[in-house]
Amino acid sequence: MSDELLIGIYQVMAQLNLKIPEDVAVICISEGYIPNFFFPKVTYVRHSGYEVGSKASELLLEIMSNSTSPLLHKQIFPQLVIQHSV
């Protein structure tokens, strides 16, 4: 889930009297700012929207400059940041 969904998840867990991580483990996809504002701190997959957009732009420009090029792909390497929510 994204940072935005994470905020709602914490609210719902509190309403249901569920404890994280005792009752529910939580992991999100994030750039890493929001997960650190919660207690317990949330485990997340660090995913940079800037990096994804940059790689997508590079691919688009390559395709536009050479329409006969074979299928191209770029790879990003997300990182799992283990904190206290699992």
Side-chain angles (χ1 to χ4, degrees), residues 5-71:
L5 290 174
L6 176 61
I7 294 166
I9 289 296
Y10 262 73
Q11 292 173 338
V12 170
M13 294 297 108
Q15 290 171 354
L16 296 174
N17 292 317
L18 294 173
K19 296 192 186 306
I20 300 169
E22 293 82 10
D23 300 321
V24 178
V26 176
I27 299 175
C28 71
I29 298 171
S30 177
E31 290 195 26
Y33 304 109
I34 300 298
N36 292 308
F37 287 113
F38 290 95
F39 182 81
K41 290 184 178 182
V42 178
T43 295
Y44 63 97
V45 176
R46 181 174 289 146
H47 173 78
S48 169
Y50 177 83
E51 183 182 4
V52 170
S54 178
K55 298 285 184 189
S57 297
E58 288 174 18
L59 278 173
L60 181 59
L61 291 172
E62 285 182 48
I63 291 168
M64 290 172 59
S65 67
N66 184 5
S67 63
T68 61
S69 67
L71 181 62

